[in-house]
Amino acid sequence: KQMAVMGHYQIGLAEHQRGKFAPSLGHFEAAQALYQPGPATIVYGPAALSFAALSLFALGWPDRALARSREALLLARQSGNPFGLTTTLMLDTWLHTARRDLTAQRERASEVIELSETHGFPYLLGTGKSLQAAARVAAGESGAIADLLEGFALWAETGRQVGAPGYFALVGAAYISTGKFTEARNIIEKGVAVTAQTGQASPELHRLHGEVVVAMGGSSAEAEGFFRQALDVARMQEAKSFELRATASLARLLRNTGRDDEARKMLANIYNCFTEGFDTADLKDAKTLLDELST
């Protein structure tokens, strides 16, 4: 059983990184169903639940994702394994980042930092610092971008490519929010290049590329091209949450160029696919935009 748990986990991880969220969810749930605590699997059980949560979020189930991540944390805390717990906390932080819950993101990241410093986990330390600083930047603390870049450098020094699009998107979004548009474009283009090399297609990087073009007063057609590229990738991945985010960005652009009806229809179509998560930031923003487009 231990070998089966590890096998399902590794296949699930590979599928997840390629954006195949439905197959990855199946493997992570299979790993968790077979999981029994043991020296070889003590990290894999909670991590499988955590990645299942991230897959659920991508597929458009933000509340189920949160519940699954809470299960993972409970299991990890019970295990008493510091590396397993820190890894699970790190993945939980990524989920709160995806849900745009800045308070939870910051709190979880602080735990990751503390445990990583205590036990010597450089990769997890870099991630924790990046995610904590990203939450501070998003909350309006522009000076925290220096801490974000420090965390990003720590992560980059480990040479790991797993999850690279998320790290580049963190930095790109922070640069955009602090008005550093040239830096944002550079890091996003670098992130897109890395995803092309590793097969980790990212709708968020394409969406952010479009947001940079808009912020810099560039061509509406160019921005629309990036937003539609983000939509194509999200749809290919069946990633409803990222499709919603990309559609909202495109809808704002269409509204600003006098194409309100088109914007309203496309945003309503994806918004109506959701049956939960209506208290999350993305769905709240989408509802507000829909209401504006309907008046």
Side-chain angles (χ1 to χ4, degrees):
K1 277 192 175 181
Q2 290 194 0
M3 292 300 293
V5 170
M6 294 166 67
H8 277 298
Y9 176 84
Q10 294 297 342
I11 295 170
L13 184 60
E15 296 283 60
H16 186 88
Q17 298 306 322
R18 293 165 60 200
K20 296 188 174 183
F21 298 115
S24 73
L25 177 61
H27 282 290
F28 290 132
E29 290 187 333
Q32 199 279 326
L34 292 168
Y35 171 71
Q36 291 179 344
T41 59
I42 198 164
V43 174
Y44 291 98
L49 276 171
S50 294
F51 273 112
L54 291 169
S55 295
L56 281 165
F57 174 83
L59 292 166
W61 305 104
D63 291 346
R64 297 183 199 187
L66 186 60
R68 195 64 54 86
S69 196
R70 285 172 176 163
E71 291 176 38
L73 269 180
L74 179 61
L75 191 62
R77 292 190 194 280
Q78 290 172 343
S79 75
N81 182 279
F83 181 73
L85 175 57
T86 311
T87 298
T88 305
L89 283 164
M90 180 267 290
L91 294 170
D92 186 61
T93 311
W94 274 116
L95 177 62
H96 291 302
T97 302
R99 285 172 52 92
R100 293 171 57 197
D101 184 339
L102 299 181
T103 300
Q105 177 183 339
R106 194 165 176 171
E107 289 174 354
R108 286 288 185 266
S110 295
E111 288 189 77
V112 174
I113 292 168
E114 182 180 353
L115 283 166
S116 297
E117 289 177 337
T118 299
H119 297 284
F121 304 139
Y123 161 68
L124 296 171
L125 178 61
T127 303
K129 286 189 172 183
S130 295
L131 291 168
Q132 186 193 62
R136 290 161 55 204
V137 172
E141 191 180 332
S142 59
I145 198 165
D147 294 330
L148 172 53
L149 294 175
E150 179 187 341
F152 181 75
L154 276 172
W155 166 78
E157 285 170 8
T158 66
R160 292 174 64 99
Q161 294 294 333
V162 174
Y167 293 91
F168 283 100
L170 270 186
V171 178
Y175 274 139
I176 291 171
S177 69
T178 53
K180 299 179 182 294
F181 303 130
T182 300
E183 293 90 338
R185 188 159 199 166
N186 289 341
I187 198 72
I188 290 165
E189 289 176 347
K190 185 175 180 181
V192 170
V194 169
T195 63
Q197 293 168 1
T198 60
Q200 300 180 70
S202 169
E204 267 296 88
L205 284 173
H206 296 304
R207 186 188 71 82
L208 289 170
H209 212 162
E211 294 289 3
V212 170
V213 173
V214 171
M216 296 179 79
S219 159
S220 294
E222 183 185 10
E224 182 173 343
F226 286 126
F227 292 146
R228 292 196 182 277
Q229 196 171 0
L231 280 175
D232 288 343
V233 174
R235 287 167 179 163
M236 178 183 67
Q237 297 176 343
E238 301 179 78
K240 295 295 185 186
S241 289
F242 297 116
E243 183 181 349
L244 175 70
R245 204 173 285 179
T247 303
S249 289
L250 177 56
R252 291 186 191 96
L253 179 70
L254 295 178
R255 176 192 59 185
N256 294 339
T257 53
R259 296 154 70 184
D260 292 37
D261 286 346
E262 183 182 355
R264 184 178 61 256
K265 287 174 184 175
M266 68 187 309
L267 186 56
N269 283 340
I270 182 62
Y271 182 83
N272 290 334
C273 289
F274 286 81
T275 58
E276 64 176 53
F278 296 106
D279 62 340
T280 60
D282 283 341
L283 281 156
K284 283 181 176 179
D285 288 351
K287 181 63 166 63
T288 299
L289 182 55
L290 269 175
D291 290 344
E292 292 171 359
L293 289 165
S294 299
T295 57

